[in-house]
RNA sequence: GGGGGCGUAGCCCAAUUGGCAGAGGCAGGGCGCUUAAACCGCCUCCAGUGAGGGUUCGAAUCCCUCCGCCCCCA
């Protein structure tokens, strides 16, 4: 493609200038209004792919736009540089993850610089920086001191392929590892946990105050899974002094409890199991031990599947409502970790209880009258109670109140709130992460490494060969140490922290990486936090965002970050994915389209424009056969604009006439349109509006009539400013050529539309008769309802159409439309 | 299985939230420029909104049912 300027030279020149002049460096004591714009810091996987390009194009647009609005914009970048892929690659290559990771960081950095994305590089944060690790470890120890970190043995998801523990969320619905695809097993290990459940309510309720996409908030609410209910006793038939404690959200259905179910891990199971049932119970327990929570709670088809998933214990408990004995089963779908590990079963009002009851021939007693036309097994909706003694005739809400009172009196019932959210398991049996700064002393037990000895760094000569345990545990010199308290022989913790720990506070470090001997100075960070605009992928909707919210709240509460607002991200934008052949474009799928090939042809500006133009930013983008042509089209647009800005083929005339004035109106309408589109994340329409304006201005200026000079300059300057956040290089270059030696286009103030020019003198009003368009009238935009109707009725065409008929009704919606009904 | 989202010209997408279905782009066609082609400039073709029903003076937009994709949770 023949370009009117040397794209590579221009882009290189401006990238170097922004970097050398520190154009986008910002100090913490800047006196302007502040704006913190942040893209989720990337995992350094090598050169940027289109997903990165899209993400950082949006982010850079925000940075440059907010700067032009006159704000001091904090725009940092860093790298989420710990993690499994680097470790696996290092194992494969027989090298160390650090050089591997740092090479990938450099590649990604280079790609992003070539995109023209601008950052304050003095604030770069990366997870494996010893200074950053020092504070990650300090925060861990402060959590420990505050009782927010604890060690417990717990069943964990063990991936036999990765030889590590996985978080629940790393296990797919089919019970396989999201990374290796191996079937995940259950194992018990001593692990470190953070008490995120202490914050369940706050994490839930504070969502209301956030300007986040509703769907993300919904996902977080579901993940927390708050449910209000009652915990109460089902006395054992064999020994009524003992009881099975259960939790339910539907105490009102108590008369319909026809059996109870305990989890395979339940402590009373042994006692409940009778000799003749022992074999089948033990078989079930053994089988459940090999399954993940997700497998166990996944709904399975009724019939044989369900039959195998439950076994009768041989014992009975008493239903406290009816005082009738009901059988106790054990089933894998009841989890030992949720609620009390036991449930009451109401087959008439619960889908799964019903399926289970059918398979095991258990009684079904309805307590809620379903609607007349209801067909099916369990009815979970509202209705009047039946077969329910003192609750008969009541709806669910009233019955629930009475049932709760009844249970409080008769079954040691207490109202209780349960959560689906579990405490955060942070231990990882991997090498390439931040070591947990703990030693286990033969005398003192668990001992924190003194803060003045942090960071605890892993030695470089560790064998990462897969061994089934933490690589650090195999390094004698690292593992063997002495107790910092009593000097007795001790062992270092050999697990590392979940990388989500790093991403939970990096944005605070970025706000103030300058204060010596501190993670940050809270008063400095408070100048920037919360992040005004956070941008990232929807895949982080639950975990990263939940953990970061927890970290901030906890750090404030333990005095580590006093004075900060309790939510880290005020506004969140989640961009759509790039898809190729129907699947997400990603390195692991190997379906990447590299940006470099476009830098050399249409340039970074062209590629940026494509991503802005391709569709709504929140929507997925399909990379197709046509995409290259669209990208070329974006390059063509830049060229057309550049030529016009350099007066190529333009005719001028002296006096302003009506035609010039109409162009001015277009310019100001476009300014208004682009500004409002920016504020509503509608970049595709903003680009389209500028394309439209270019068409208008170009035809006008190149026509025989030509352009009035001042009007033309106003149009070009406006377009340069509007495009500056989108296509920064070409606009910087064109501006400099128009105004050599003056401040650059990115130092200009964002244009403001003149309201008088935005509103047109007249607007086309449609006049309909019976919903059909019969006439179009030019009317003032502020025409009244009565005047609009009157003008419509005076119109000759309308009168002809009406042919003397009397209107039954006139719908007047000025200034758009009048509809006359006859 | 539950929750959410999306279906508009050949394709990607607009339609300021219930008011003329078309802004922009891609592809296609034509004309001009050119010895010719590319580039460039101008012009142009193309849908009644996945299907069916309802509400309304009026529905792409709101409400039901179905179909097809996508995402989240199970």
């Amino acid at each position: 493609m023949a370009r009117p300027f040397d794209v590579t030279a221009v882009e290189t020149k401006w990238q170097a200038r922004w970097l050398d002049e520190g154009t986008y460096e910002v100090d913490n004591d800047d006196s302007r209004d502040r704006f913190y714009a942040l893209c989720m810091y990337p995992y350094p996987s090598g050169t940027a792919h289109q997903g990165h390009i899209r993400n950082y194009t949006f982010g850079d647009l925000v940075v440059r736009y907010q700067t032009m609005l006159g704000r001091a914009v904090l725009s940092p970048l860093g790298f989420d540089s710990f993690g499994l892929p680097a470790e696996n690659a290092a194992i494969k290559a027989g090298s160390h993850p650090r050089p591997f990771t740092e090479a990938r960081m450099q590649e990604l950095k280079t790609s992003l610089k070539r995109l023209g994305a601008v950052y304050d590089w003095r604030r770069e944060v990366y997870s494996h920086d010893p200074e950053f690790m020092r504070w990650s470890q300090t925060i861990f120890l402060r959590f420990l001191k505050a009782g927010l970190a604890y060690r417990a043995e717990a069943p964990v998801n063990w991936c036999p392929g990765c030889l590590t523990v996985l978080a629940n969320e790393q296990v797919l619905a089919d019970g396989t590892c999201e990374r290796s695809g191996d079937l995940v097993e259950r194992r018990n290990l001593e692990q470190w946990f953070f008490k995120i459940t202490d914050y369940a309510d706050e994490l839930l309720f504070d969502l209301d105050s956030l300007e986040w996409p509703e769907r993300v908030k919904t996902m977080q609410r579901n993940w927390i899974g708050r449910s209000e209910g009652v915990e109460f006793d089902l006395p054992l038939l064999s020994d009524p002094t003992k009881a099975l404690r259960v939790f339910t959200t539907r105490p009102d259905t108590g008369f319909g409890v026809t059996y109870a179910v305990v989890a395979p891990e339940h402590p009373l199971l042994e006692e409940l199991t009778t000799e003749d049932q022992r074999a089948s119970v033990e078989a079930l327990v053994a089988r459940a031990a090999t399954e993940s929570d997700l497998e166990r709670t996944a709904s399975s088809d009724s019939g044989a599947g369900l039959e195998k998933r439950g076994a009768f214990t041989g014992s009975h408990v008493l239903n406290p409502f009816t005082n009738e004995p009901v059988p106790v089963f054990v089933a894998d779908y009841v989890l030992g970790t949720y609620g009390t590990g036991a449930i009451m079963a109401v087959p008439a009002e619960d889908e799964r209880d019903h399926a289970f009851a059918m398979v095991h021939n258990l009684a079904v007693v309805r307590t809620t009258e379903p609607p007349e036309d209801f067909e099916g097994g369990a009815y979970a909706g509202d209705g009047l109670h039946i077969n329910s003694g003192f609750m008969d005739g009541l709806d669910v809400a009233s019955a629930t109140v009475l049932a709760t009172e009844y249970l409080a009196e008769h079954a040691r019932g207490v109202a209780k709130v349960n959560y689906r959210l579990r405490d955060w398991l942070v231990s990882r049996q991997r090498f390439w992460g931040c070591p947990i700064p703990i030693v286990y002393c033969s005398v003192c037990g668990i001992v924190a490494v003194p803060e003045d000895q942090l960071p605890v760094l892993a030695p470089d000569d560790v064998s990462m060969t897969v061994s089934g345990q933490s690589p650090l545990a195999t390094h004698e010199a690292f593992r063997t140490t002495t107790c910092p308290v009593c000097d007795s022989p001790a062992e270092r913790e050999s697990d590392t922290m979940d990388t989500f720990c790093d991403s939970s506070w990096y944005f605070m470090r970025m706000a103030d990486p300058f204060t010596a001997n501190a993670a940050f100075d809270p008063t400095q960070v408070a100048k920037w936090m919360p992040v005004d605009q956070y941008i990232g992928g929807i895949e982080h909707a639950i975990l990263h965002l939940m953990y970061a919210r927890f970290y901030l709240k906890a750090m404030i509460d333990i005095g580590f970050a006093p004075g900060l607002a309790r939510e880290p991200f005020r506004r969140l934008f989640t961009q759509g994915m790039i898809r190729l052949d129907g699947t997400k474009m990603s390195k692991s799928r190997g379906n990447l389209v590299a940006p470099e090939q476009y830098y050399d042809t249409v340039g970074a500006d062209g590629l940026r424009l494509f991503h802005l133009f391709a569709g709504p930013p929140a929507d997925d983008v399909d990379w197709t056969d046509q995409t290259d042509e669209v990208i070329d089209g974006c390059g063509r647009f830049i060229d057309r604009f550049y030529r016009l800005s350099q007066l190529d083929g333009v005719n001028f005339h002296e006096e302003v006439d009506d035609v010039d004035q109409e162009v001015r109106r277009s310019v100001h309408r476009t300014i208004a349109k682009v500004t409002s589109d920016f504020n509503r994340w509608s970049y595709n329409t903003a680009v389209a509006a500028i394309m439209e304006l270019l068409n208008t201005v170009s035809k006008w200026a190149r026509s025989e009539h030509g352009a009035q000079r001042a009007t033309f300059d106003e149009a070009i300057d406006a377009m340069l400013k509007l495009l500056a956040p989108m296509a920064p290089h070409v606009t910087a270059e064109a501006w400099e050529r128009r105004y050599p030696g003056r401040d650059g286009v990115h130092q200009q103030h964002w244009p403001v539309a003149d309201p008088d020019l935005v509103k047109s003198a007249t607007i086309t009003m449609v006049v309909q008769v019976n919903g059909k368009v019969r006439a179009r009238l030019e009317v003032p935009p502020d025409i009244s309802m009565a005047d609009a109707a009157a003008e419509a009725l005076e119109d000759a065409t309308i009168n002809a159409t009406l042919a003397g008929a009397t209107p039954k009704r006139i719908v007047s919606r000025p200034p758009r439309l009048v509809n006359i009904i006859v």
Side-chain angles (χ1 to χ4, degrees):
Chain A
M1 201 182 341
R3 309 289 303 255
F5 61 104
D6 184 335
V7 177
T8 306
V10 164
E11 294 192 344
T12 309
K13 163 186 160 186
W14 285 99
Q15 284 158 18
R17 197 181 292 185
W18 294 323
L19 200 60
D20 295 345
E21 295 180 358
T23 315
Y24 288 88
E25 290 176 3
V26 65
D27 292 327
N28 286 348
D29 57 4
D30 198 299
S31 59
R32 291 172 290 179
D33 275 357
R34 288 154 188 285
F35 194 93
Y36 190 172
L38 185 67
C39 291
M40 292 178 185
Y41 77 156
Y43 180 80
S45 55
T47 48
H49 59 251
Q50 297 298 337
H52 289 123
I53 298 299
R54 190 168 168 79
N55 191 195
Y56 296 101
T57 294
F58 295 150
D60 195 54
L61 183 149
V62 169
V63 170
R64 293 178 185 271
Y65 171 56
Q66 291 293 336
T67 302
M68 288 178 77
L69 288 176
R71 302 200 165 103
V73 180
L74 178 57
S75 169
L77 190 75
F79 296 94
D80 186 14
S81 56
F82 275 133
L84 264 182
E87 185 165 341
N88 290 338
I91 291 170
K92 209 169 162 186
S95 63
H96 192 281
R98 185 183 300 109
F100 177 87
T101 298
E102 291 179 351
R104 300 291 87 74
M105 278 169 55
Q106 283 312 316
E107 286 169 3
L108 188 45
K109 236 174 168 170
T110 304
S111 293
L112 295 180
K113 283 178 182 170
R114 284 206 65 187
L115 181 65
V118 285
Y119 303 100
D120 183 348
W121 288 104
R122 301 171 306 165
R123 300 170 183 266
E124 178 180 356
V125 163
Y126 51 96
S127 309
H128 75 283
D129 178 352
E131 189 61 13
F132 185 79
M133 290 169 67
R134 174 183 176 193
W135 303 115
S136 288
Q137 291 174 346
T138 304
I139 294 165
F140 180 97
L141 293 179
R142 299 288 177 89
F143 281 176
L144 176 63
K145 202 169 166 188
L148 286 171
Y150 65 93
R151 193 163 164 79
E153 182 168 282
V156 293
N157 305 303
W158 176 263
C159 173
C162 302
L163 291 168
T164 189
V165 171
L166 303 177
N168 277 342
E169 38 283 355
Q170 291 170 309
V171 183
L172 301 180
D174 62 358
T176 60
C177 170
E178 68 165 2
R179 203 171 285 282
S180 71
D182 288 290
L183 198 60
V184 174
E185 299 168 4
R186 308 281 290 169
R187 279 200 191 179
N188 279 324
L189 280 181
E190 282 269 304
Q191 308 281 311
W192 284 99
F193 289 85
F194 284 162
K195 273 178 132 174
I196 190 171
T197 53
D198 277 7
Y199 287 83
D201 271 331
E202 196 189 339
L203 288 168
L204 180 66
F205 296 135
D206 284 357
L207 284 172
D208 295 339
S209 67
L210 300 176
E211 291 177 51
W212 286 17
E214 268 317 307
R215 54 191 292 232
V216 175
K217 292 205 245 182
T218 302
M219 281 189 231
Q220 294 226 340
R221 288 189 186 106
N222 292 341
W223 189 258
I224 294 167
R226 183 182 201 272
S227 58
E228 291 181 15
V230 183
E231 201 176 285
F232 66 98
D233 282 349
L234 299 172
L236 266 53
L237 181 63
S238 56
D239 178 1
T241 64
K242 292 184 179 166
L244 190 60
R245 194 130 182 105
V246 296
F247 172 81
T248 181
T249 57
R250 290 291 305 275
D252 62 298
T253 61
F255 281 88
V257 173
T258 54
Y259 64 97
V261 187
V262 298
E265 302 87 3
H266 199 281
L268 276 180
L269 179 59
E270 173 65 25
E271 183 173 348
L272 288 167
T273 305
T274 57
E275 278 317 309
D276 55 327
Q277 296 298 324
R278 190 160 298 278
S280 55
V281 168
E282 282 175 356
L284 186 129
V285 171
R287 207 171 68 89
T290 67
E291 295 175 330
S292 69
D293 282 3
L294 277 162
E295 275 178 289
R296 285 174 50 179
T297 53
S299 55
S300 84
D301 300 350
S302 52
L306 258 183
E307 193 158 7
K308 271 190 277 178
R309 297 176 58 180
F312 181 42
T313 60
S315 294
H316 291 77
V317 290
L318 291 172
N319 176 335
F321 290 92
T322 62
N323 281 316
E324 297 289 330
V326 298
V328 180
F329 280 72
V330 56
D332 66 350
Y333 68 79
V334 175
L335 299 180
T337 51
Y338 182 82
T340 60
I343 60 159
M344 65 177 219
V346 192
E349 275 89 31
D350 182 276
E351 212 55 77
R352 179 151 49 194
D353 293 350
H354 187 269
F356 191 85
M358 291 297 104
V359 170
H360 292 276
N361 280 322
L362 297 159
V364 178
V365 177
R366 283 209 189 281
T367 64
T368 314
E369 184 85 81
E372 263 182 36
D373 56 352
F374 179 76
E375 288 173 20
Y379 172 69
D382 201 357
L384 300 184
H385 277 67
I386 50 175
N387 303 322
S388 293
F390 61 88
M391 289 181 278
D392 277 349
L394 298 177
D395 63 13
V396 168
S398 327
T400 300
V401 174
L402 282 193
T404 306
E405 283 170 12
Y406 178 89
L407 288 171
E409 271 173 50
H410 297 91
R412 300 200 304 126
V414 285
K416 215 175 160 188
V417 177
N418 252 313
Y419 301 90
R420 209 187 76 97
L421 183 71
R422 307 283 77 170
D423 275 340
W424 174 11
L425 169 55
V426 295
S427 298
R428 293 293 179 275
Q429 292 68 48
R430 300 300 303 212
F431 171 75
W432 192 233
C434 186
I436 294 173
I438 293 289
V439 300
Y440 301 99
C441 168
S442 51
V443 177
C444 314
I446 297 173
V447 179
V449 173
E451 288 186 8
D452 60 12
Q453 292 174 26
L454 299 180
V456 174
L457 296 175
D460 279 353
D461 57 340
V462 174
S463 160
M464 278 167 289
T465 327
V466 280
S467 62
Q469 57 181 329
S470 299
L472 283 175
T474 66
H475 193 284
E476 280 306 311
F478 174 82
R479 201 170 58 108
T480 311
T481 185
T482 53
C483 174
V485 176
C486 72
D487 225 26
S488 305
E491 278 191 17
R492 281 193 192 278
E493 167 68 62
S494 56
D495 287 352
T496 53
M497 291 159 67
D498 185 355
T499 55
F500 277 119
C501 297
D502 307 316
S503 55
S504 289
W505 75 281
Y506 75 98
F507 44 87
M508 293 188 246
R509 175 76 180 171
M510 286 169 162
D512 177 40
F514 305 122
T515 302
N517 263 316
F520 49 77
D521 175 350
T523 59
Q524 296 296 313
V525 173
K527 293 176 177 173
W528 296 107
M529 290 285 293
V531 173
D532 292 286
Q533 183 66 64
Y534 200 33
I535 305 171
I538 188 75
E539 65 271 24
H540 294 113
I542 296 176
L543 297 176
H544 162 55
L545 292 171
M546 184 84 74
Y547 292 149
R549 296 177 63 218
F550 158 69
Y551 246 68
L552 176 56
K553 291 172 192 297
M555 285 164 78
I556 293 168
D557 289 342
I558 65 175
F560 196 84
L564 293 185
R566 295 184 72 83
E567 283 289 337
F569 313 117
R570 193 203 314 268
R571 275 193 296 272
L572 172 72
F573 183 82
T574 50
Q575 54 166 7
M577 302 183 300
I578 312 281
R579 282 198 309 235
L580 185 64
D581 303 326
T583 55
K584 180 180 180 169
M585 198 181 270
S586 73
K587 184 157 187 166
S588 58
R589 290 175 214 273
N591 60 350
L592 298 183
V593 177
E596 276 72 18
Q597 57 182 296
Y598 300 104
Y599 290 153
D600 295 335
T601 54
V602 294
D605 284 340
L607 188 58
R608 289 167 67 119
L609 223 41
F610 163 75
H611 279 287
L612 294 168
F613 184 56
D619 287 6
D620 291 348
V621 172
D622 276 309
W623 201 273
T624 67
D625 296 344
Q626 203 182 235
T627 298
D628 279 354
E629 287 165 338
V630 176
I631 295 174
D632 284 346
C634 291
R636 257 195 315 269
F637 164 71
I638 288 171
D639 291 350
R640 291 183 63 208
F641 173 69
Y642 185 84
R643 285 193 200 95
L644 192 68
S645 78
Q646 305 305 307
L647 316 183
D648 180 60
V650 172
N651 296 318
F652 287 113
H653 65 87
E654 285 301 316
E655 299 296 319
V656 180
D657 62 20
D658 288 351
V659 178
D660 301 318
Q661 191 62 11
E662 209 35 58
V663 170
R664 269 201 94 197
R665 290 183 182 282
S666 299
V667 170
H668 283 261
R669 268 198 294 270
T670 305
I671 292 170
K673 165 88 177 147
V674 171
T675 305
S676 90
D677 282 352
F678 270 24
N679 293 333
R680 64 185 183 114
W681 285 84
S682 184
Y683 300 138
N684 52 326
T685 53
V687 174
I690 299 174
M691 287 175 168
E692 187 181 2
L693 181 62
L694 176 64
N695 290 341
T696 302
V697 173
S698 169
K699 279 174 210 171
W700 162 70
R702 288 179 171 139
S703 67
E704 218 159 297
H705 168 274
Q708 193 271 333
R709 183 65 201 235
T711 310
F712 178 82
D713 285 339
E714 184 183 13
I716 294 297
D717 289 351
M719 280 193 278
L720 277 168
K721 291 176 197 168
L722 295 178
L723 276 172
M726 307 195 202
H729 310 86
V730 67
T731 49
E733 181 70 15
W735 184 273
E736 189 181 56
R737 284 170 183 257
R738 284 171 64 74
Y739 304 111
R742 303 223 327 236
D743 276 352
V745 68
H746 295 98
Q747 278 77 54
Q748 302 301 311
H749 200 278
W750 187 252
V752 177
D754 179 341
D756 289 335
L757 291 170
V758 168
K759 69 173 178 226
S760 13
T762 62
I763 194 161
T764 305
M765 184 176 77
V766 170
V767 183
Q768 298 176 332
V769 177
N770 288 336
K772 284 188 181 158
V773 179
R774 297 296 185 186
R776 291 183 170 83
L777 304 177
E778 290 300 312
V779 300
D782 54 355
I783 190 170
S784 71
M785 263 173 89
D787 289 349
E791 287 218 21
L793 288 171
E794 280 166 22
D795 183 77
T797 321
I798 295 304
N799 276 306
T801 309
L802 290 177
T806 312
K808 276 191 217 145
R809 181 176 167 191
I810 299 175
V811 180
S812 182
R813 292 284 177 276
R816 311 289 289 268
L817 166 141
V818 171
N819 190 8
I820 301 166
I821 316 300
V822 293

